[in-house]
Amino acid sequence: HVSDCGRKPKYSERTHTDTARKCSIQKGSAKVGKTSLIMSLVSEEFPDEVPLRAEEITIPADVTPERVPTHIVDYSEAEQSDEQLYQEISKANVICIVYSVNNKKSIEKVSLVSVVPLILVGNKSDLVEHSSMETILPIMNQYQDIETCVECSAKNLKNISELFYYAQKAVLHPTGPLYCPEEKELKPSCIKALTRIFKISDLDNDGILNDSELNFFQRTCFNTPLAPQALEDVKNVVRRNMMDGVKDNGLTLKGFLFLHTLFIQRGRHETTWTVLRRFGYDDDLELTQEYLFPMIKIPPDCTTELNHNAYLFLQSVFDKHDKDRDCALSPEEVKDLFKVFPYMPWGPDVNNTVCTNEQGWLTYQGYLSQWTLTTYLDVQRSLEYLGYLGYSIIYEQESQAAAITVTRNKRIDLQKKQTQRSVFRCNVLGARGSGKSGFLQAFLGRNLQRQRRIREEHKSFYAISTTYVYGQEKYLLLHEVMPDFDFLTETDLSCDVVCLVYDINNPRSFEYCAKVYKQYFIDSKTPCVVIAAKSDLHEVRQHYSLSPHDFCRKHKLHPPQPFTCSTNEAPSKDIYTRLTTMAMYPHLALSDVRKIKTSHLQCIVHARLRCMCACNRCTYCLCQNLLKLELLRSIKAQLRTVVFNRHMAQADLKNSTFWLRASVGATVFAVLGFAMYRALLKQR
């Protein structure tokens, strides 16, 4: 009995340049020529003397069409037991069952119980003039595991190489997972996989693959474009066989599926398998772990963000599915976007985590914010989602890991007093009912009236949106921490800035904030801000030894910031800009720099930029903002005072001396202004 057997390699090893080891076991009745087939393959001539069993043979990768090493294992009833046979079969990738075409009894003895692909081999075809296919066809139709049947001759070397080529092909490109011979159609799992591939390749989401998209698909899978005539030939084949396979001179999903059915029916399984494996599928038509979760190293105290190319890709995905061009995704458009996913990744809480329009639909900014949040909190899930969308394929990257930027250690940012990060986390702590949820929702532009429409089960403990700090767009992520003072986790304490929220109308609300600060943040380098929530209500005295203002003064914190979301319009976002600024420049609010005068510190941290053209990015705006900074105004006033005092005290000085000194003062002022302007540009 000749059998081909071997260890099943990983998906990442299963390619045409594969170095993984494949094996084949040959099995069959005695005297059918199993060993002769192996020896004829190796020596390329018929052996004069044939042993009972051939030794295990390895065919190198460079002499096989599929570039895969192949182990060939022989079996002999005379030397081996059934138990040994079963052990070899359990390690096999494919089994070649050999029978003699001139011996009907050897055909009847063929046993076909297997969980791996089978190849039927009719040997000794040189001894008969007729074919055994009529006898074999009923057996092939009965058992789905049979990949093909090959008639050969070990004596005159007919189809010997083809036999082992088909054995390799049965392993690398099996028919079973793709096609149902009885129904003569693709299996549901294959249709599902090919449908996802079609939707990813349909870059404009119009339901057809135009010539440009077909060429992109061809280059992606086979590294070569199709000539214009070849494209027309493909579409003509579909037109002749299907009424709705071609539309507007493009290939529809039905036409795409028909082409792959045709490839399989004509024995070109490798074409479909090449496509499937390029898009991340394994032999069971499941996306592999290597494809969905590529390796990415994240050192301690570092965060993960999407890079520029990732945002461009996500923008193209948004534009692809925003069919009505209203810069928002309706529920139907969101479902269409996630059709390439095996499940719905976003629940109703997402609409309360990011910005939406008046209808509650995800805006473009909200869509990008949700991706930013996912990447920051769970980068593995973000990699998985990008894999479903085909990022590495569309952008021709090795993996989705190319879409991720790992930021440097936060301690280095503190030492250098600057950061290149784009996402900053603010943990919001406070007693129950203090207004934390309202503070989060106000960041998304929702006043108290809109917040009351949110269902309890759809509430979110996160809110993320963009703010502008000195002309730079940054993401601020707010996280509402559950008010359990005794069980604050490391995640609850790990952030860039802390918000301590208390209700000015509740006399026991501030006590929680004071205890949390003294327990966890008094010696921390994390900036803290106290928020006096519900400032539209009557302020009552807090039942604590110190008033909130005295507490902040004692611990050198900024005074409590009044806040309310009970407004007719969207709540003010000034406080969120301040929080982002403090997260970006924590050294300006830490104890080691509290020697700076309070007025100057407030000028720097709380400077509110006023922009003439409202873009906050151009050079004109930066210059205007520079001239209007309170710190610059104070320096200017001090210079004027110095000049004026000197003039009054020394009125007897000659006019020339006075104007000389005034000129020196003006020069100093100009130098300082120019230096600050350069500093702002450097921060950009």
Side-chain angles (χ1 to χ4, degrees), residues 1-2 31 34-36 39 49-55 74-80:
H1 304 276
V2 188
K31 304 299 182 181
K34 303 180 300 297
T35 307
S36 298
M39 300 189 70
E49 294 184 5
V50 181
L52 290 176
R53 183 170 68 93
E55 296 295 329
D74 195 5
Y75 172 75
S76 172
E77 285 182 338
E79 292 188 354
Q80 294 174 284

Side-chain angles (χ1 to χ4, degrees), residues 100-385:
S100 177
V101 296
N102 65 341
N103 185 349
K104 290 186 177 181
K105 290 185 178 180
S106 68
I107 299 177
E108 295 172 357
K109 290 183 179 180
V110 169
S111 57
L112 297 174
V113 179
S114 176
V115 293
V116 296
L118 302 174
I119 305 292
L120 293 184
V121 183
N123 194 20
K124 303 185 180 181
S125 63
D126 59 294
L127 299 180
V128 296
E129 296 181 356
H130 63 275
S131 173
S132 63
M133 286 301 175
E134 292 184 1
T135 309
I136 290 298
L137 278 176
I139 299 176
M140 293 183 66
N141 292 332
Q142 184 179 357
Y143 298 97
Q144 297 182 12
D145 293 326
I146 300 176
E147 289 289 326
T148 189
C149 178
V150 183
E151 289 191 348
C152 58
S153 171
K155 186 173 183 179
N156 59 20
L157 307 182
K158 177 186 175 183
N159 288 341
I160 300 298
S161 298
E162 286 78 3
L163 159 64
F164 292 98
Y165 166 72
Y166 283 120
Q168 282 189 333
K169 189 175 178 180
V171 176
L172 295 174
H173 315 300
T175 307
L178 306 180
Y179 186 73
C180 180
E182 291 82 3
E183 303 294 335
K184 295 183 179 180
E185 61 183 23
L186 298 175
K187 289 187 174 179
S189 56
C190 182
I191 293 175
K192 181 180 178 181
L194 290 174
T195 300
R196 169 181 170 267
I197 292 170
F198 179 90
K199 288 189 68 64
I200 290 174
S201 304
D202 182 14
L203 301 178
D204 55 8
N205 199 32
D206 62 351
I208 61 172
L209 298 182
N210 56 39
D211 288 357
S212 176
E213 291 166 342
L214 282 171
N215 259 318
F216 176 79
F217 171 80
Q218 180 75 11
R219 288 196 310 271
T220 299
C221 297
F222 305 103
N223 297 319
T224 179
L226 282 174
Q229 186 57 48
L231 279 173
E232 285 303 314
D233 292 342
V234 168
K235 288 183 279 191
N236 287 334
V237 170
V238 177
R239 284 190 186 101
R240 288 195 297 268
N241 291 273
M242 295 191 74
M243 291 292 295
D244 51 356
V246 177
K247 180 182 178 182
D248 297 333
N249 202 35
L251 200 63
T252 65
L253 175 59
K254 289 185 178 180
F256 184 74
L257 295 176
F258 167 78
L259 276 180
H260 285 281
T261 304
L262 195 62
F263 290 146
I264 295 169
Q265 290 174 344
R266 293 183 177 180
R268 293 176 56 188
H269 312 74
E270 64 273 13
T271 301
T272 300
W273 275 114
T274 299
V275 171
L276 289 167
R277 285 174 179 147
R278 177 66 183 89
F279 279 78
Y281 289 93
D282 61 13
D283 289 349
D284 298 320
L285 298 186
E286 298 288 344
L287 291 171
T288 66
Q289 295 296 299
E290 293 90 343
Y291 172 79
L292 290 177
F293 305 103
M295 289 292 295
I296 182 171
K297 293 182 179 179
I298 306 172
D301 292 330
C302 297
T303 59
T304 49
E305 301 176 0
L306 294 168
N307 59 30
H308 179 65
N309 284 338
Y311 280 116
L312 288 179
F313 171 75
L314 293 172
Q315 177 183 349
S316 68
V317 173
F318 182 93
D319 294 338
K320 175 179 174 179
H321 293 88
D322 183 20
K323 295 181 179 180
D324 53 9
R325 297 292 181 265
D326 62 348
C327 290
L329 294 178
S330 67
E332 292 74 20
E333 290 170 339
V334 171
K335 288 180 181 178
D336 184 50
L337 189 154
F338 290 125
K339 280 184 179 178
V340 295
F341 285 58
Y343 57 88
M344 185 65 180
W346 292 355
D349 61 310
V350 170
N351 293 52
N352 299 315
T353 305
V354 298
C355 294
T356 59
N357 62 12
E358 291 296 329
Q359 296 169 287
W361 298 353
L362 283 179
T363 62
Y364 171 69
Q365 187 59 58
Y367 163 83
L368 292 182
S369 296
Q370 179 61 26
W371 278 100
T372 303
L373 174 69
T374 304
T375 305
Y376 186 94
L377 296 179
D378 190 350
V379 68
Q380 290 297 324
R381 181 165 295 184
S382 185
L383 291 172
E384 178 188 1
Y385 292 173

Side-chain angles (χ1 to χ4, degrees), residues 365-415:
Q365 187 59 58
Y367 163 83
L368 292 182
S369 296
Q370 179 61 26
W371 278 100
T372 303
L373 174 69
T374 304
T375 305
Y376 186 94
L377 296 179
D378 190 350
V379 68
Q380 290 297 324
R381 181 165 295 184
S382 185
L383 291 172
E384 178 188 1
Y385 292 173
L386 289 171
Y388 291 137
L389 291 173
Y391 172 82
S392 61
I393 296 161
I394 301 298
Y395 269 53
E396 301 178 5
Q397 300 288 340
E398 185 177 349
S399 71
Q400 298 88 267
I404 305 300
T405 295
V406 179
T407 65
R408 68 185 181 188
N409 194 298
K410 293 181 181 179
R411 284 176 292 182
I412 299 177
D413 286 349
L414 282 173
Q415 292 171 1

Side-chain angles (χ1 to χ4, degrees), residues 528-543:
C528 295
V529 177
V530 178
I531 303 295
K534 306 180 184 180
S535 60
D536 57 303
L537 302 179
H538 174 68
E539 183 174 6
V540 299
R541 181 179 178 181
Q542 296 293 319
H543 292 177

Side-chain angles (χ1 to χ4, degrees), residues 21 347 418 534 574:
R21 305 179 72 184
Q418 61 180 357
K534 306 180 184 180
D574 289 352

